[in-house]
Amino acid sequence: MDAILIHGMGRKPMAMSILGARLLAAGIRPHFFGYMVALESWEHCVLRYERFINRRAGAGDYIIVGHSLGTVLTRAVLPRLMHKPKACFFLAPPTRVCKAARTFGRRGVARFFMGRMGRVLTSDSFMTSLPVPDVPTKIYAGVAGPRGRFSPFGEEPNDGLLMVNETLLPNIPVQTVPALHTFIMNSKTVTEDIVRIAMRQTGIGSGIL
């Protein structure tokens, strides 16, 4: 089985390397897709992503694991794929325009580094137009962010960037994990769950999504 791994905004494929190594140890071959939000258009990146998946996955069984903006790209590419993944795993996915995107999207320097790709996260119409995945999918939301009187999130569970309620999709199961947004892909709990579900989807193991 293969795994397509796609990182989040401002990161590089190396950010998914610990997850990739753990998947490889479990018998799942990782393939890392990279992009740069400041230099690439949205449509061009989605097209490259589609071609990358078709080339690396071929006709065999595969899964997709995305982090943050990588999950948004995955939701955009899924309807284009003739050969669908067995399952998708979304780590800290922004599923609507979140509080952080609204804040940073108004700042000039931040908008520059977000590029045309990252700025889709500030568009209500774009975010609501993305299709809900039509393959088995699971969301992992971090809850290690600050809470309380001095937190910008108040008492809402969050990962330091997204609140849990900003990661939800209709009828998609969600699991909270004690992780921050930037490092949720390094959670051993997340990897173990991905492996368990991936093996079940291909008939190798047992368990439930």
Side-chain angles (χ1 to χ4, degrees), residues 95-122:
T95 56
R96 57 188 175 92
V97 178
C98 63
K99 183 176 182 180
R102 292 187 190 280
T103 300
F104 293 118
R106 291 193 293 265
R107 299 176 181 174
V109 174
R111 284 181 63 84
F112 173 79
F113 285 106
M114 289 174 75
R116 285 176 291 174
M117 285 181 59
R119 286 198 290 272
V120 302
L121 299 178
T122 68

Side-chain angles (χ1 to χ4, degrees), residues 5-85:
L5 307 186
I6 178 169
H7 59 86
M9 183 169 62
R11 306 301 299 279
K12 296 180 179 180
M14 183 65 67
M16 306 291 275
S17 60
I18 292 176
L19 172 60
R22 288 173 174 164
L23 291 177
L24 184 60
I28 301 174
R29 295 178 297 275
H31 305 279
F32 302 89
F33 180 78
Y35 60 94
M36 295 185 67
V37 294
L39 302 177
E40 192 168 10
S41 72
W42 177 263
E43 182 59 32
H44 181 261
C45 186
V46 172
L47 180 60
R48 275 204 313 112
Y49 188 28
E50 178 187 4
R51 290 171 176 170
F52 180 90
I53 294 171
N54 290 336
R55 185 170 63 250
R56 298 303 176 94
D61 292 337
Y62 72 102
I63 60 173
I64 295 178
V65 185
H67 174 234
S68 196
L69 182 59
T71 69
V72 182
L73 282 159
T74 299
R75 289 175 64 190
V77 82
L78 280 173
R80 304 182 181 213
L81 301 175
M82 295 296 292
H83 177 45
K84 304 283 188 179

Side-chain angles (χ1 to χ4, degrees), residues 115-130:
R116 285 176 291 174
M117 285 181 59
R119 286 198 290 272
V120 302
L121 299 178
T122 68
S123 169
D124 286 301
S125 60
F126 179 86
M127 293 300 290
T128 57
S129 72
L130 287 169

